[in-house]
Amino acid sequence: MHNKSAFNKCSKFVCRKIYVCHHSDFNKISKTDNKRGRSKNTQCNAMIDIKIKLTTKDTKKKDKFVKDGLPAIIKINNDHNHNISTAEALSFLKPSKECRLQFENYFNDGLGISESIRMHESKLELEFGINSDELANAMINPKYRTIRHWYDVWKENNLGSSNYISVLQKLEEKKKYYEDNGIIVRYTENPFAILVVTPIMKRAHQLPFSKDIAFVDSTSSCDVQCHSITFMLAPCGVGAVP
């Protein structure tokens, strides 16, 4: 439901809120004018109207409900002009805050968008079954573009934007955190380069063969700025370690 009216300045009421169905025409263009795809607008009239009356000596005298401590008026119209239990209807629901926090935890664990979606859907399949209608419920299983937006916001807040200036600013902000965890981070602005040495890398540098043999492995462009990641690897009994 959408909140259509948050406050009524009429002196008879403290406040008023009207919750309308998300398939109503509130803040929506008509189906004929919608050129972006499926339209949620079915002009549904289902609503919940809540009014809170003033509680004063005068209103207590005139209104027996206010006198009895019942100042609220609630009107409910539950007559939807669309099906509310089909997979399509569930796909229009707004994702919950808990669902967003869950995806942010996936991002914090190092998962990307596709990996997070697969992980989340596998959990839902285990909980509800493979062919369950809950998989179409956007409240607990949001659409790709929603998850993409969440990831972009999370990335901006935690890693900075894609340009190197923002990346360097984030590195400065987290420099003390890295140092406290034994991680060495060095960088140059021109040319743009970042060096990362973790504790396990320091141990690998002490291996007997590290001074004689080193493997170099570079990725191709890994972001929109065409940066590459290069690993310096040393041989050991279990293979190559960075």
Side-chain angles (χ1 to χ4, degrees):
M1 303 290 277
H2 294 300
N3 183 2
K4 188 175 182 180
S5 177
F7 185 72
N8 190 337
K9 295 183 179 179
C10 179
S11 60
K12 294 182 180 180
F13 302 103
V14 176
C15 67
R16 180 184 184 185
K17 285 192 176 183
I18 302 175
Y19 296 92
V20 298
C21 176
H22 64 277
H23 285 287
S24 70
D25 57 1
F26 177 63
N27 282 346
K28 298 183 186 71
I29 61 175
S30 64
K31 277 188 174 182
T32 56
D33 295 332
N34 182 24
K35 306 299 182 182
R36 298 178 60 184
R38 294 186 304 168
S39 174
K40 293 173 63 176
N41 184 8
T42 65
Q43 297 182 335
C44 181
N45 293 320
M47 59 173 289
I48 300 176
D49 187 356
I50 303 174
K51 300 176 184 177
I52 307 297
K53 300 177 184 177
L54 281 172
T55 302
T56 63
K57 290 182 179 180
D58 186 54
T59 56
K60 286 181 179 179
K61 292 178 182 178
K62 297 179 179 179
D63 194 322
K64 64 177 182 178
F65 294 106
V66 175
K67 182 180 179 180
D68 294 337
L70 302 172
I73 301 175
I74 302 176
K75 296 180 180 179
I76 301 175
N77 177 8
N78 199 32
D79 185 17
H80 294 269
N81 64 356
H82 55 88
N83 199 314
I84 60 175
S85 59
T86 62
E88 182 182 20
L90 294 174
S91 68
F92 284 120
L93 295 178
K94 183 179 180 180
S96 64
K97 293 181 180 179
E98 293 77 10
C99 183
R100 179 167 185 169
L101 289 175
Q102 196 167 8
F103 271 92
E104 288 179 352
N105 289 332
Y106 296 149
F107 304 151
N108 291 331
D109 291 338
L111 299 181
I113 298 174
S114 299
E115 294 87 350
S116 299
I117 292 174
R118 286 196 294 268
M119 172 69 75
H120 191 70
E121 288 184 347
S122 64
K123 288 183 177 180
L124 293 178
E125 288 174 354
L126 288 174
E127 183 176 356
F128 299 105
I130 296 177
N131 297 321
S132 173
D133 289 341
E134 292 299 326
L135 292 173
N137 188 346
M139 182 178 290
I140 60 175
N141 191 23
K143 298 180 177 65
Y144 176 86
R145 65 179 183 180
T146 301
I147 301 170
R148 177 77 202 190
H149 170 69
W150 291 348
Y151 182 79
D152 290 341
V153 173
W154 174 87
K155 185 178 179 182
E156 179 76 22
N157 294 334
N158 292 273
L159 304 177
S161 62
S162 300
N163 63 75
Y164 78 93
I165 296 177
S166 181
V167 172
L168 296 180
Q169 290 174 346
K170 281 294 178 182
L171 284 176
E172 282 295 329
E173 292 176 6
K174 297 186 176 184
K175 187 175 181 179
K176 187 177 185 306
Y177 170 80
Y178 292 139
E179 292 176 350
D180 293 341
N181 287 273
I183 302 173
I184 299 174
V185 178
R186 300 290 185 269
Y187 62 84
T188 62
E189 295 187 26
N190 189 19
F192 176 66
I194 300 174
L195 170 69
V196 179
V197 181
T198 64
I200 193 172
M201 293 178 181
K202 296 177 185 177
R203 290 176 56 190
H205 188 68
Q206 299 173 359
L207 293 172
F209 292 107
S210 63
K211 64 179 181 297
D212 299 323
I213 303 174
F215 301 96
V216 179
D217 182 24
S218 294
T219 66
S220 58
S221 57
C222 59
D223 59 10
V224 294
Q225 302 296 328
C226 296
H227 295 136
S228 64
I229 300 175
T230 300
F231 290 94
M232 304 292 290
L233 306 166
C236 69
V238 295
V241 293

